[in-house]
Amino acid sequence: QRSFLALGSSCFPPETGQYFAVRIIEVVDGAVGGLGIGFSCTPADQVKRATERGYRVPGTTLVGYWGRLFVAGHEYRLNWTGENLAVGDVVGILATFAGDIVLFVNDVTQLVIASVIPDGYRSQRAYPMVDLYGSTVAAEILKTPAPQLKGKPSIFAFADMVKVQNPSTWGAGKTSGNGGRAAG
């Protein structure tokens, strides 16, 4: 499985909320999983080269892959996967000052995870992070404002999410999700 990790060098001040988006440029068929997108409190110059996956970077919150949420080194099941994104899709992620994560695909809200960002990270500056994995081969970061909430997203309370007990095998136990394509 190939992977490419991109961590932004510009950070978002915590008091403004944090949003960024990527446009999918290239995908491959038949791969397990897809992009992971989120934020890290670790500056790019402090990330070791040996780190090959975004979830291994301290202070990171990432959504996607094969239906997973990674928060501060822990893995949780999720019903959204980046596996079925297509060329031209725009995936955006918003971290609110209240600690919620909102995921958009083509400006349609896909999921909301309430109170997911740990209190200790909410006051820190955050850097955008994209982990190109599985079916997502290339993407470009866009400078666009956060869209308005629309659609019928899955809404989760972080406290109710199922933690993966043995997350040591990356990609094992793949779950099916709604595919990441926005409903028409």
Side-chain angles (χ1 to χ4, degrees):
Q1 221 18 295
R2 73 185 154 278
S3 179
F4 178 80
L5 179 64
L7 181 60
S9 58
S10 298
C11 62
F12 301 96
E15 62 275 3
T16 63
Q18 303 154 16
Y19 175 82
F20 80 100
V22 297
R23 178 178 295 116
I24 307 302
I25 296 174
E26 184 180 350
V27 297
V28 295
D29 292 331
V32 174
L35 111 155
I37 187 169
F39 300 94
S40 179
C41 294
T42 303
D45 64 355
Q46 293 180 17
V47 175
K48 297 176 185 173
R49 290 195 96 172
T51 301
E52 60 186 57
R53 302 282 191 252
Y55 78 95
R56 292 183 179 150
V57 176
T60 295
T61 300
L62 290 168
V63 174
Y65 301 102
W66 61 94
R68 291 295 190 259
L69 165 69
F70 290 93
V71 178
H74 299 284
E75 180 179 346
Y76 301 85
R77 288 189 175 94
L78 196 60
N79 75 342
W80 185 86
T81 172
E83 190 169 302
N84 296 321
L85 293 168
V87 171
D89 282 346
V90 174
V91 181
I93 190 162
L94 170 68
T96 71
F97 188 69
D100 305 333
I101 290 284
V102 183
L103 183 79
F104 302 89
V105 176
N106 300 324
D107 289 341
V108 176
T109 312
Q110 300 296 305
L111 60 91
V112 177
I113 307 170
S115 302
V116 65
I117 301 171
D119 289 340
Y121 296 136
R122 292 182 197 177
S123 62
Q124 296 184 29
R125 294 182 177 270
Y127 300 85
M129 180 180 278
V130 179
D131 193 354
L132 300 180
Y133 177 82
S135 63
T136 310
V137 177
E140 65 179 330
I141 294 180
L142 305 173
K143 292 184 179 184
T144 61
Q148 297 295 315
L149 296 177
K150 63 181 176 182
K152 295 181 181 178
S154 298
I155 299 176
F156 302 95
F158 180 63
D160 296 334
M161 294 190 71
V162 176
K163 187 173 181 182
V164 175
Q165 297 302 317
N166 298 313
S168 60
T169 307
W170 184 259
K174 177 182 169 292
T175 61
S176 60
N178 68 0
R181 297 287 299 169

